[in-house]
Amino acid sequence: MYRAGTPDAVPALRGVDLDVSPGECVALIGGNGSGKSTLAKHLNALLTPTSGAVRVDGIDTRDADRVWDVRQRVGMIFENPDDQLVAAIVEEDVAFGCENLGLPPAEIRARVDAALRLVGLEHLRRRPPHLLSGGQKQRVAIAGVLAMRPRCLVLDEATAMLDPRGQAEVMETALRLCRHEGLALVLITHAMEEAALADRVVVLADGRVALAGPPAEVFSRAEPLARLRIEPPPIARLARLLAASGLPLPPGILTVEQLVEALSPLGAAP
Ligand code: ADP
Ligand code: MG
């Protein structure tokens, strides 16, 4: 509840139940003000409910003694890379969260090494973070979270301020951590082509889950999506237009790769 106890109190989230398994990527989409960031902040106890309850990995986030347990389990990356850098060199930045956990120095060093390797930034470990590209800065922030050994990573519009190359870098890193390292990934995004890469898409509207399912299913629901002012990924629209013009394309095409694969047997691919 935002503005709890005042006449204009608003329940920010209503009955949202989000399960994310290890190795699974869930994209959270929805218009501005639909409650995505509020939900994200509840997932790592940056916000705690004034009514209702939030459980993360079984832990009630209102249990003040366990806030750091929750924060350790769910790492969060925000939109602005510069807001997340705290130290003068990359490896100190990556160590910051672990230092807050009070881990022994040797353990921190080992974790920082492993985390830098996982995001492919070992070669930049002595650099000042402010000299890095936006995509690299977000990867430093991801490494700092990884060093805390979370089970879940939440990216809240983490690619929104990046150029296309930075966006691709961050997406590739996050999806690799999810697919190969078993991290549960919650991907909050405005970019429908990013949401198309998830295993499941959850659409929030007005603090509730309006639609949820595999991307092909959610993005085929033209009417509810139009009502929520959500445009399916550009490739999905292109595939639908091509199908409407007579090409025998299967439904559910969302990515360039899927479109090329479907067009190849028709002799129509470049
Ligand atoms: P999204 O991330 O999907 O754009 P938010 O979670 O930021 O949405 O916001 C959800 C709703 O809660 C909006 O109506 C927003 O205005 C309101 N809200 C967000 N933060 C606050 C706050 N600190 N105080 C009061 N209302 C807020
Ligand atoms: Mg937001």
Side-chain angles (χ1 to χ4, degrees):
M1 190 81 78
Y2 280 121
R3 297 184 287 274
T6 73
D8 48 351
V10 276
L13 296 172
R14 307 161 211 237
V16 176
D17 189 356
L18 187 69
D19 270 319
V20 194
S21 313
E24 187 186 26
C25 171
V26 173
L28 196 57
I29 64 175
N32 281 335
S34 58
K36 305 180 296 297
S37 293
T38 302
L39 178 56
K41 287 174 186 158
H42 276 285
L43 295 177
N44 89 342
L46 284 173
L47 288 175
T48 53
T50 48
S51 60
V54 176
R55 268 177 223 87
V56 172
D57 210 10
I59 305 172
D60 189 323
T61 60
R62 286 169 305 183
D63 185 344
D65 293 337
R66 304 204 63 191
V67 167
W68 283 100
D69 277 348
V70 173
R71 301 246 168 103
Q72 219 177 317
R73 278 174 169 76
V74 181
M76 182 95 87
I77 306 294
F78 297 97
E79 180 171 350
N80 188 342
D82 293 313
D83 287 351
Q84 301 176 73
L85 301 171
V86 291
I89 65 167
V90 165
E91 60 185 4
E92 284 170 9
D93 208 284
V94 175
F96 187 76
C98 285
E99 276 159 7
N100 280 341
L101 295 178
L103 297 171
E107 169 75 15
I108 296 179
R109 265 194 304 279
R111 287 184 177 210
V112 168
D113 287 350
L116 283 170
R117 218 173 309 121
L118 282 170
V119 302
L121 289 179
E122 303 117 296
H123 60 297
L124 300 179
R125 61 186 304 149
R126 309 289 306 169
R127 292 280 177 86
H130 69 270
L131 294 183
L132 304 182
S133 71
Q136 289 169 335
K137 286 176 185 171
Q138 290 296 56
R139 282 154 68 204
V140 170
I142 292 173
V145 159
L146 286 181
M148 295 168 77
R149 305 262 161 95
R151 306 188 59 182
C152 179
L153 180 64
V154 180
L155 303 187
D156 189 355
E157 313 260 6
T159 60
M161 292 178 68
L162 306 179
D163 61 18
R165 184 171 156 186
Q167 289 170 0
E169 255 174 64
V170 169
M171 282 300 292
E172 185 277 324
T173 303
L175 285 170
R176 184 166 39 77
L177 292 167
C178 174
R179 307 290 185 220
H180 299 301
E181 307 295 327
L183 214 61
L185 184 64
V186 176
L187 186 67
I188 299 177
T189 184
H190 269 118
M192 295 306 118
E193 62 276 19
E194 291 181 355
L197 302 174
D199 302 305
R200 264 187 308 135
V201 176
V202 172
V203 187
L204 281 188
D206 214 6
R208 294 176 219 262
V209 175
L211 282 175
E217 192 182 301
V218 168
F219 287 124
S220 70
R221 307 277 308 276
E223 272 173 32
L225 288 179
R227 235 180 301 122
L228 299 166
R229 298 174 196 284
I230 290 172
E231 293 263 9
I235 294 295
R237 281 181 278 152
L238 176 60
R240 202 167 306 139
L241 286 174
L242 290 172
S245 77
L247 279 179
L249 292 174
I253 291 177
L254 296 175
T255 65
V256 174
E257 290 73 20
Q258 290 164 355
L259 182 58
V260 169
E261 198 178 309
L263 286 174
S264 299
L266 307 178

